[in-house]
Amino acid sequence: MSGSAPPPPRPPRWRYLIPKCPHADLFNRRGRDWLARQPVPDDDRAAIARHVRELDRLGEDLAALDRDIAQDTLEDEAIQRLITITGVNLAVAAGLMVAIGSIERFSSPQKLVSYFGLNPRVRQSGLGAAHHGRISKAGRSHARAMLVEAAWAAAKAPGPLRAFFIRIRAKRGHQIAAVAVALKLATLCWHMLTKGEDYRCARPSLVAHKRR
């Protein structure tokens, strides 16, 4: 047959031997500088640039939403109280209060934990010992996801929540530790909202930064 031979297939991207990004965030300034120095073909570099531009656009939209939420919740006492918890930012606090409504609907912290679907399933046969399994995930999924997000943030900051995370992680692993912290956060929310108290281990500088 006449005609030139088809070009050889391009190798899969893992064969470029690009190492893992050494920075915690690939898309902060240092991470982006590192990404720009990696040897990739021109079409892949153009694709990366498109994705980074889209990420920046979404970041601007989220920042605008955060400003709107801040303006609407500036005077809300319950939300201002919840942001004193390490790991709970304004968006999480506002989302939790939308899900909770009035804390008086929940007669105990266990009721609130169950509402978020963070209560462990219990299996028991007859008079045998009860076995606790995975969380039920039967409640408000969006609020549960926000609590888990806040748990990961709290696990990175000094304080009792991080110490609790490390203790559970050593026995059960990262994921279970994060869920355990999320359950503790739900319990904290109930006590703080019911008793009208701020988080006792709050870091004033961090709370002031959130409020700014």
Side-chain angles (χ1 to χ4, degrees):
M1 298 178 62
S2 61
S4 59
R10 288 180 54 187
R13 282 170 170 72
W14 60 265
R15 292 189 60 184
Y16 299 154
L17 300 179
I18 296 175
K20 182 180 178 181
C21 178
H23 307 294
D25 186 350
L26 177 59
F27 298 106
N28 64 12
R29 183 181 59 79
R30 293 196 300 169
R32 292 187 186 202
D33 288 344
W34 174 89
L35 184 60
R37 295 193 302 270
Q38 303 313 302
V40 297
D42 290 342
D43 58 341
D44 284 345
R45 191 171 300 283
I48 291 171
R50 287 196 303 272
H51 292 313
V52 169
R53 287 196 299 270
E54 179 65 10
L55 182 67
D56 289 340
R57 186 189 67 78
L58 292 173
E60 292 172 359
D61 290 345
L62 288 174
L65 288 173
D66 283 343
R67 287 193 295 271
D68 291 341
I69 292 172
Q71 291 174 356
D72 291 340
T73 60
L74 190 61
E75 304 300 328
D76 191 294
E77 182 179 349
I79 291 175
Q80 293 299 317
R81 193 177 304 286
L82 291 185
I83 65 172
T84 64
I85 306 175
T86 305
V88 176
N89 60 22
L90 182 66
V92 171
L96 291 176
M97 288 311 304
V98 168
I100 292 171
S102 172
I103 195 62
E104 295 177 356
R105 299 195 299 139
F106 305 95
S107 58
S108 68
Q110 290 76 23
K111 296 287 186 182
L112 184 59
V113 167
S114 297
Y115 180 67
F116 290 141
L118 288 166
N119 54 311
R121 292 191 177 101
V122 180
R123 301 190 307 275
Q124 187 173 17
S125 178
L127 299 177
H131 298 279
H132 294 79
R134 296 181 176 181
I135 61 174
S136 68
K137 295 186 179 180
R140 298 290 294 269
S141 59
H142 289 87
R144 181 171 62 251
M146 285 189 289
L147 281 169
V148 174
E149 176 188 342
W152 284 113
K156 299 176 183 178
L161 291 172
R162 172 174 169 78
F164 177 73
F165 173 86
I166 292 173
R167 188 166 68 251
I168 301 299
R169 183 185 63 184
K171 300 177 182 178
R172 307 289 301 278
H174 283 79
Q175 296 295 332
I176 292 179
V179 172
V181 174
L183 190 154
K184 184 173 284 290
L185 287 174
T187 303
L188 274 173
C189 289
W190 185 90
H191 284 286
M192 291 167 56
L193 294 173
T194 301
K195 300 173 183 177
E197 299 176 353
D198 290 348
Y199 182 46
R200 293 182 181 177
C201 300
R203 296 166 58 194
S205 60
L206 181 58
V207 175
H209 176 72
K210 293 179 187 179
R211 286 176 174 156
R212 282 199 303 271

